[in-house]
């Protein structure tokens, strides 16, 4: 029985970790395919980058810096979001070949994140069923789940804290560079604001805001998934206990 308790706790921990990773990957996909990221959020970030947030000529200054009007950037945002979502292979004409190749790389990573999200969340549901089966045979069913869940949450918190420490110690820019060096196999992400409009549209404040938004989206998604997993666990667990009771 003690061995079964350990198994239940470990399965619960893995289930929580898979749900969390699935939520993070899902949030990445949501942000990358959001029109607002390439439109309104971009212009707000550029205004912040230019220190022109309270300037009465804010729209004109942002347009001058980026090279696109509000309307032109809205159209760009629609085309880019559609491309990132895989609805089309055509990218906005304002991007040069280097920028288009980089965005193809980004789309590949985004689609991979979407696939990982679905896979991990599916596995989490499957583990909820398996955990219900192992936990239903225990007299103290709650304790193993609690220990496993808390262990997984502790791991998640340690990872989050390490990321926050990196941002605090070296600044967001260092973390941003390290992530790009780790993720991409080429240097297409290194852009020149004099020749590449993409870097003018996406200054550092945009990615800082995207990180905050992504964390909030991932947390909301994780909470929804966790409630669903608990429901699945409880339903399956009760079915198993009733079946065992009838057999006795």
């Amino acid at each position: 029985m003690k061995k079964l308790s350990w198994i239940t706790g470990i399965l619960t921990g893995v289930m929580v970790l898979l749900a969390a990773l699935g939520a993070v990957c899902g949030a990445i996909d949501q942000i990358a395919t959001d029109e607002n990221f390439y439109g309104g959020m971009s212009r707000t970030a550029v205004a912040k980058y230019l220190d022109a947030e309270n300037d009465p000529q804010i729209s004109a200054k942002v347009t001058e810096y980026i090279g696109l009007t509000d309307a032109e950037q809205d159209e760009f945002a629609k085309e880019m979001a559609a491309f990132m979502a895989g609805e089309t292979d055509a990218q906005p004409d304002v991007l040069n070949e280097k920028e288009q190749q980089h965005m193809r790389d980004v789309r590949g990573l985004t689609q991979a994140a979407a696939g990982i999200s679905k896979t991990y969340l599916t596995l989490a549901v499957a583990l909820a069923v398996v955990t219900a089966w192992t936990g239903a045979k225990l007299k103290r069913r709650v304790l193993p789940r609690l220990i496993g869940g808390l262990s997984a949450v502790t791991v998640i918190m340690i990872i989050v804290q390490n990321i926050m420490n990196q941002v605090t110690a070296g600044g967001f820019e260092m973390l941003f560079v390290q992530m790009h060096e780790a993720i991409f196999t080429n240097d297409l992400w290194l852009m020149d604001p004099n020749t590449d409009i993409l870097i003018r549209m996406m200054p550092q404040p945009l990615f800082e805001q995207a990180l905050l938004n992504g964390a909030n989206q991932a947390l909301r998604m994780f909470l929804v998934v966790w409630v669903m997993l608990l429901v699945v666990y409880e339903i399956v667990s009760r079915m198993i206990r009733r079946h065992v009771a009838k057999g006795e």
Side-chain angles (χ1 to χ4, degrees):
M1 195 64 68
K2 187 176 180 180
K3 182 178 179 181
L4 196 59
S5 180
W6 271 99
I7 292 174
T8 301
I10 292 172
L11 289 175
T12 301
V14 174
M15 179 179 66
V16 173
L17 289 174
L18 288 175
L21 289 172
V24 169
C25 290
I28 292 172
D29 178 54
Q30 288 181 13
I31 291 175
T33 56
D34 184 6
E35 286 185 22
N36 188 46
F37 178 74
Y38 307 100
M41 277 184 63
S42 168
R43 295 186 75 84
T44 299
V46 170
K48 183 176 182 179
Y49 178 75
L50 297 175
D51 196 21
E53 294 172 285
N54 300 317
D55 195 310
Q57 301 296 319
I58 179 174
S59 181
K61 288 190 174 182
V62 171
T63 294
E64 181 182 3
Y65 179 78
I66 294 178
L68 294 178
T69 64
D70 282 332
E72 290 171 337
Q73 190 161 353
D74 284 343
E75 186 60 30
F76 171 92
K78 292 178 182 178
E79 294 176 3
M80 184 53 66
F83 171 77
M84 293 300 293
E87 298 172 1
T88 177
D89 286 330
Q91 295 191 55
D93 294 334
V94 295
L95 299 182
N96 59 39
E97 180 57 35
K98 174 185 176 181
E99 292 171 304
Q100 291 189 16
Q101 180 57 54
H102 177 61
M103 293 312 295
R104 282 192 285 271
D105 292 343
V106 174
R107 184 174 72 168
L109 292 172
T110 300
Q111 291 178 339
I116 291 172
S117 178
K118 293 177 182 178
T119 300
Y120 281 7
L121 294 179
T122 300
L123 288 174
V125 172
L127 281 180
V129 175
V130 176
T131 305
W133 182 80
T134 60
K137 297 183 178 183
L138 297 172
K139 292 182 179 180
R140 301 176 66 182
R141 295 185 296 272
V142 176
L143 185 59
R145 286 187 298 159
L146 182 61
I147 294 175
L150 288 177
S151 298
V153 170
T154 300
V155 172
I156 294 170
M157 293 302 298
I158 291 174
I159 294 173
V160 171
Q161 187 60 52
N162 285 335
I163 293 175
M164 294 305 298
N165 288 341
Q166 287 188 44
V167 172
T168 303
F172 180 84
E173 184 176 356
M174 180 180 292
L175 177 63
F176 182 81
V177 171
Q178 290 175 345
M179 288 178 59
H180 277 67
E181 289 177 341
I183 293 173
F184 296 104
T185 58
N186 53 52
D187 60 357
L188 295 175
W189 59 275
L190 294 171
M191 297 186 181
D192 184 351
N194 294 315
T195 57
D196 305 317
I197 192 173
L198 201 58
I199 193 62
R200 298 199 297 273
M201 283 185 184
M202 299 181 176
Q204 183 173 318
L206 176 63
F207 292 100
E208 292 175 346
Q209 187 60 50
L211 180 61
L212 293 176
N213 291 352
N216 288 330
Q217 287 186 26
L219 178 59
R220 290 195 298 269
M221 188 181 299
F222 173 73
L223 292 176
V224 171
V225 170
W226 183 240
V227 171
M228 292 175 60
L229 291 174
L230 289 177
V231 171
V232 170
Y233 177 93
E234 193 60 30
I235 291 174
V236 176
S237 184
R238 288 186 180 184
M239 291 173 61
I240 294 173
R241 290 201 299 271
R242 283 199 298 266
H243 180 73
V244 172
K246 288 179 179 180
E248 295 176 349

